[in-house]
Each structure stands twice: as C-alpha cells, then as structure tokens.
Amino acid sequence: MRRTGRDTGAAKAISGRIGSERCEPSRRRAASKPDPVASPEATLASGLYLVATPIGNLGDVTLRALAVLRGVDRIFCEDSRVTARLLARYDIAAPLELYHDHNAERARPAILAALRRGERVALVSDAGTPLVCDPGYKLVRAAIAEDLPVTAIPGPSAALTALILSGLPPDAFLFAGFLPPRRAARRRALEGWSALKASMVFFEGGSRLAGCLGDITELLGNRRAAVARELTKLHEEIRRGRLAELASHYRDAGPPRGEAVIVVGPPEPTAPDQAAVDSRLRAALTTLGLRDAAATVAAETGLPRSELYRRALAIRSETE
C-alpha cells in the first residue's frame, strides 16, 4: 500500500460483443487473452500492461505477471529500489523508469507516445494492484481515450486479503482507500457511509490508526472490525474485535510500524421491541389467519416468519 495524492482511482475494462465474437478492450477479437506462460516463445503484443505485484511475500507474484514483465520494453514503477528487488529475485532485466505522483504529469506524455509507437509498457505499484490507491488512473484514462491497448494482469491486493481474513461479511463491501487525514473531513466522510449495509475497507498509516479507529467508533458505532498489518509477511498480524477495543489497544500500544488495513463490519440488526411486534401481530390477527398475519408482520419487520407464527399462536391462545 502507498498513500498517493490526486492521481488515484480505479479503472474498469468493459467487454462488448460484435456478432458472436467477444471484443476485448483493445478491440482485438479473441477467445481469451494471450497466455505468455503457455507460449513463452510468442512475442508480447504492444500495449499498456497493469501488473499486480506482491504485497509482501515475493512468492505471491503470478506466472503471467513474470512473463509480462520479462516481455515488455520497459517498466514504470513508483520506486525503482522496491521494484528492483522483485526483478532481481526473478532475474528480469527490463529497463525501469519512474511514474509516481510527483512526476506523473511529465511522464504521462512520454508513455503515451511509446504506446503509439507500438511499444510494450508495464505499470506496477510498489505493492499490490496498480491504480488501487496508487498512481495510474489518469494514464489509463488517457490511453483508453486514444484507443490504445490496455490490459490488466491480476494478482495480490491488500484490501481483498484483509477482507477475507477479517471474518466479516465479504458479500457486499466498500473499499474507500485512505480516509482524509484531517479529522473534520474524515468524520464527514464516515457520516456519509454510516447507513451503508456493507463491510468497509480502509487503508491507514500507523501514526493515525488509533485516532482513525476512534472516529470510526464514534460515527459508525461499536461494530465488529479487524485491523490487518504486515500481510503475507513473516510477522503478519490480524487483530479482530470491536472498534472500541481496537482503538484502545492501539492507543495503549502506540503507533504500529507501516500501514494497516481496517475492515469494519456492516451495521448489526437491533433487537426489535417485543411489545411493538406483539401490537402489530394483534392488529393483523383481527382480519387475518395465523399464517397470513405472521407473513404480513415478517414483511414489515424483516423478522423470521416461523418465529412470528409461534408468537401469533401464543397471542391467539391468550385471548381464547
């Protein structure tokens, strides 16, 4: 993970259909993307390759990512010292150049010019999937606008790794990246998501972790949560509990090293007021039978129909 400035975001590749053939984002009709691993002798097609890299353990790089990195004409990265370690581990000699927040405006035209010439260019982040809280969105947008080929080589992601390790519901989730560093802006952002019925995933630096957890607790309630650090590394840490407990732990323990992923569970259903439920059932029973009354109140409250049927039966027995 790496905190970045304006040039962040995510890109979507949309595939359409022409006749009975699939149209790839690059407008090349094919049954599937070329597999450089299956055909190492094949020349890599020209275009921009968004290559996911390990978030900690260098063994997590995919075979396809290695094949692409070996086949491109040059690799653009955030920090050449970080990416050089990955390339050295796998004996890859492609030239390294920089693309980060501070030089993106200058470097982007040169990359686009290389793509127009038919070069093969890879974009990587320091760790994880490019564009996810990392530079690259504007480059991808510009390449798509010129109808230049763009494809993604999927792989490691800190956000997804933390989510599946958290023990919290993964079926619906919001990835929000880094929250604003200023407390007032951070609280405004959290207020906007307070009613969202989904798990939420945030990145945060160690120095702000305790304060951020405290604000999340205050704005979203004391939900179940998890904090993940050093993912895929030797000292990987997943701390699970209620938000207030986690905030207290990191206040007492002090700021951890590096960056963390915070996963916050969705709002928990509140226990219904039994008297109010009974009142609804009694009203329904004046005109409906047991099953229909239970079904009506279940639709209104979201409570299990079987539970409401048993309660309706008890209410009717009391009045007989």
Side-chain angles (χ1 to χ4, degrees), residues 2-153:
R2 184 180 178 89
R3 186 180 181 83
T4 64
R6 296 184 304 168
D7 192 12
T8 61
K12 296 180 180 179
I14 303 175
S15 296
R17 289 187 178 274
I18 298 178
S20 60
E21 296 178 307
R22 187 171 69 185
C23 180
E24 300 294 346
S26 62
R27 296 188 296 118
R28 294 187 185 88
R29 298 186 182 102
S32 64
K33 294 286 186 184
D35 184 358
V37 176
S39 305
E41 71 282 357
T43 301
L44 198 65
S46 64
L48 176 63
Y49 292 83
L50 310 173
V51 183
T53 56
I55 58 176
N57 190 320
L58 294 183
D60 289 338
V61 68
T62 70
L63 295 175
R64 187 178 174 211
L66 293 175
V68 168
L69 293 176
R70 288 192 177 101
V72 294
D73 298 302
R74 44 180 149 171
I75 300 169
F76 283 85
C77 63
E78 291 181 88
D79 187 329
S80 58
R81 295 167 298 181
V82 173
T83 303
R85 288 196 290 271
L86 174 67
L87 302 188
R89 167 74 176 271
Y90 293 101
D91 195 26
I92 296 172
L96 272 179
E97 300 182 45
L98 295 178
Y99 186 86
H100 48 64
D101 285 336
H102 305 295
N103 79 335
E105 297 299 321
R106 299 192 307 274
R108 194 178 307 120
I111 298 174
L112 293 170
L115 294 172
R116 293 187 205 106
R117 292 193 299 269
E119 290 190 26
R120 302 158 298 179
V121 177
L123 177 70
V124 302
S125 65
D126 282 350
T129 302
L131 279 68
V132 180
C133 277
D134 282 308
Y137 165 64
K138 291 183 179 180
L139 173 61
V140 169
R141 185 176 61 184
I144 292 172
E146 294 191 32
D147 204 23
L148 296 167
V150 181
T151 194
I153 313 301

Side-chain angles (χ1 to χ4, degrees), residues 164-279:
I164 62 176
L165 285 175
S166 68
L168 298 166
D171 50 342
F173 66 92
L174 165 76
F175 171 67
F178 285 93
L179 285 164
R182 294 187 180 276
R183 192 177 186 217
R186 182 166 65 217
R187 291 169 67 87
R188 283 194 299 272
L190 290 168
E191 285 174 354
W193 296 317
S194 60
L196 186 67
K197 294 181 179 179
S199 295
M200 288 178 276
V201 184
F202 306 102
F203 290 164
E204 189 52 276
S207 62
R208 289 192 297 270
L209 182 58
C212 181
L213 288 167
D215 284 341
I216 297 173
T217 306
E218 187 175 340
L219 273 297
L220 302 185
N222 195 21
R223 301 186 190 180
R224 297 188 182 280
V227 174
R229 298 178 52 253
E230 300 291 295
L231 288 170
T232 75
K233 299 179 184 177
L234 180 63
H235 301 293
E236 177 178 286
E237 176 188 70
I238 312 293
R239 188 171 293 274
R240 306 174 183 89
R242 294 283 178 178
L243 278 165
E245 298 167 4
L246 294 171
S248 176
H249 168 78
Y250 287 107
R251 278 196 301 270
D252 295 341
R257 294 181 59 185
E259 293 168 344
V261 187
I262 302 170
V263 186
V264 181
E268 297 173 22
T270 57
D273 181 88
Q274 192 59 55
V277 173
D278 286 354
S279 177

Side-chain angles (χ1 to χ4, degrees), residues 301-320:
T301 64
L303 294 171
R305 186 184 303 183
S306 58
E307 177 184 319
L308 291 168
Y309 179 83
R310 289 191 295 270
R311 184 57 191 154
L313 186 61
I315 290 172
R316 175 162 287 181
S317 299
E318 293 169 3
T319 59
E320 290 176 351

